[in-house]
Amino acid sequence: MSYVDEVYRRTVEDNPGEFEFHQAVREILESLKLVIDSDEKKYRDVSLLERLIEPERIISFRVPWVDDRGHLQINKGYRIQYNSAIGPYKGGLRFHSSVNLNLLKFVGFEQTFKNALTGLPIGGAKGGSNFDRKGKSDREIMAFCQSFMSELFKYIGDDLDILGGDIGAGAREIGYLFGQYKRLAGLHCGAMTGKGPSFGGSPIRTQATGYGLVYMLENLLRRHGKGLDGKVVVISGAGSVAVHTIEKIQQYGAKVVTLSDSDGYIYDKDGIRLDVVKQIKEVRRGRIKEYLDEVPSAIYEEKKSIWDIPCHIALPCATQNEINLNAAKTLVRNGCIALAEGANMPCDQEATEFFQQSGVLFMPGKAANGGGVAVSTLEMRQNSMRTSWTFDEVDGQLHKIMSEIYDKTSDTAERYGVKGNFVAGANIAAFEKIAEAMMAQGFV
Ligand code: GLU
């Protein structure tokens, strides 16, 4: 059995029932066969894959807090410090009822590769809690965040592990977490990104993942002789990534016709109205169904699949495994020519392979949604330098980083004889950098 297959088999055995984690490992290992199979001994002798897959450290703790009725609540809290070969641990916090160790290991493993691909000096991490902010008051969210940080503050720092946002952890949560960190550590430093602009946050951090996704997509289409103007786009999700993707892609002349939350989706054939969406999501913190109150000609569906709607471009920006083989077939049948992943692993492996075989331009999340963590790293840089850059300066750097990620991904695929396979290109380019750093640092 090859080294890669052997490591995958052992990963499944040693991490029973952790299906998303197995899936993320399998996808990356499949790509790495192109590098490793021809030079197995070099990697096997230093157990490189085993060390890459096993997180350096997992911190697991309880989060007690008191709700508005005076009842005691307990949530689970985690931080996975996955890999620090190329820089301090960096990655977001996810606060959602689905969070468990399996899920965080999958996103943490992916984050390690995504971060390496940005070209910036950051290792990989992920953390979070099974806490769900839906239906909670501001005071309850603050109580939870303060309790979460009361434990985690011991393990983070601007040269050690830098927290950021993710699903369920936006500007409000980051603010409360940072306040408590500052109080306990006695430091006003860059141990967290996604901070408010008045206390060290970077311009464009809120928009970065969405804008970066569109910059990547524009690169992808342009290099294939196509453009965004006049294209019909289906986007899932209604969080920060989806909203800022809509904002930027509309500037390029594309028409977005959908958005969704966990209850259902909105279809507006005339093009989604961003002002209405921002009012619902950013001001009222409501559900997307409320879009109908302002735009009665739109359609709201709870039962049907959003991927049944015909489009030229699909941008899954909600969550993992939202597109399976069936959805992929429908998208291709309806004329979809390009897909870029705004969420982490929104397409399962069968769907991904089907898109690639069908000639759809497919850009995986590790390359397509790296803009968020890239601008987080620019925030760290501004904090260390005790400075702040303008919106345009950071936007310009984001644009350049996304273009460089595209080049790296595309060139690497070509170098390994799989031109246009951006999944392999992204995985291998990231691996080359991490592997080199790990080899140089000895058996640790
Ligand atoms: N959650 C984002 C990601 O998945 C950003 C993480 C961060 O800013 O640390 O890349």
Side-chain angles (χ1 to χ4, degrees), residues 79 90-94 107 111 114-115 122 125-126 162-167 169 193-194 205 209 241 342-344 365 369-377 379-380:
R79 183 70 176 167
K90 177 77 191 101
L93 294 175
R94 185 174 290 194
V107 270
Q111 191 85 40
K114 183 197 312 189
N115 292 3
I122 38 173
K126 203 84 190 188
I162 304 96
L163 312 178
D166 197 82
I167 295 173
T193 60
R205 175 62 193 91
T209 311
V241 181
N344 293 313
N369 69 42
V373 78
V375 172
S376 278
T377 312
E379 179 172 335
M380 289 158 59

Side-chain angles (χ1 to χ4, degrees), residues 335-400:
C336 175
I337 57 157
L339 184 148
E341 296 183 320
N344 293 313
M345 207 168 73
C347 300
D348 71 19
Q349 199 157 351
E350 283 182 312
T352 302
E353 281 163 13
F354 183 77
F355 285 126
Q356 291 178 317
Q357 285 154 13
S358 310
V360 172
L361 298 171
F362 183 90
M363 192 53 78
K366 284 181 220 82
N369 69 42
V373 78
V375 172
S376 278
T377 312
L378 300 180
E379 179 172 335
M380 289 158 59
R381 207 168 267 180
Q382 291 168 81
N383 293 161
S384 301
M385 293 166 74
R386 303 270 181 254
T387 191
S388 63
W389 297 324
T390 63
F391 189 96
D392 287 346
E393 272 174 306
V394 182
D395 193 29
Q397 292 196 51
L398 171 64
H399 204 280
K400 186 162 166 277

Side-chain angles (χ1 to χ4, degrees), residues 178-190:
F178 183 74
Q180 185 73 352
Y181 173 77
K182 186 168 63 80
R183 189 174 185 205
L184 294 170
L187 297 169
H188 196 301
C189 72

Side-chain angles (χ1 to χ4, degrees), residues 204-214 241 244-245 342 368-373 398:
I204 213 182
R205 175 62 193 91
T206 323
Q207 297 88 342
T209 311
Y211 281 19
L213 179 67
V214 178
V241 181
H244 295 104
T245 299
N369 69 42
V373 78
L398 171 64

Side-chain angles (χ1 to χ4, degrees), residues 3 6-7 10 36 40-54 431 438-439 442-444:
Y3 176 43
E6 203 180 298
V7 169
R10 224 167 322 132
I36 292 176
E40 249 193 47
K41 192 169 159 18
K42 172 174 161 192
Y43 300 103
R44 193 194 279 272
D45 281 357
V46 293
S47 301
L48 193 91
L49 291 179
E50 291 88 331
R51 287 191 287 137
L52 195 59
I53 290 168
E54 190 63 33
F431 173 77
M438 287 177 74
M439 300 266 207
F443 194 63
V444 291

Side-chain angles (χ1 to χ4, degrees), residues 27-28 31 110 114 117 213 216-217 220 316 339-347 352 356 360-371 402 405-406 409-410 420-428:
E27 184 220 276
I28 288 179
S31 304
E110 294 244 311
K114 183 197 312 189
L117 200 57
L213 179 67
M216 175 59 76
L217 181 65
L220 176 67
L339 184 148
E341 296 183 320
N344 293 313
M345 207 168 73
C347 300
T352 302
Q356 291 178 317
V360 172
L361 298 171
F362 183 90
M363 192 53 78
K366 284 181 220 82
N369 69 42
M402 297 315 291
I405 296 176
Y406 178 86
T409 302
S410 172
N421 183 342
F422 300 106
V423 175
N427 289 337
I428 296 173

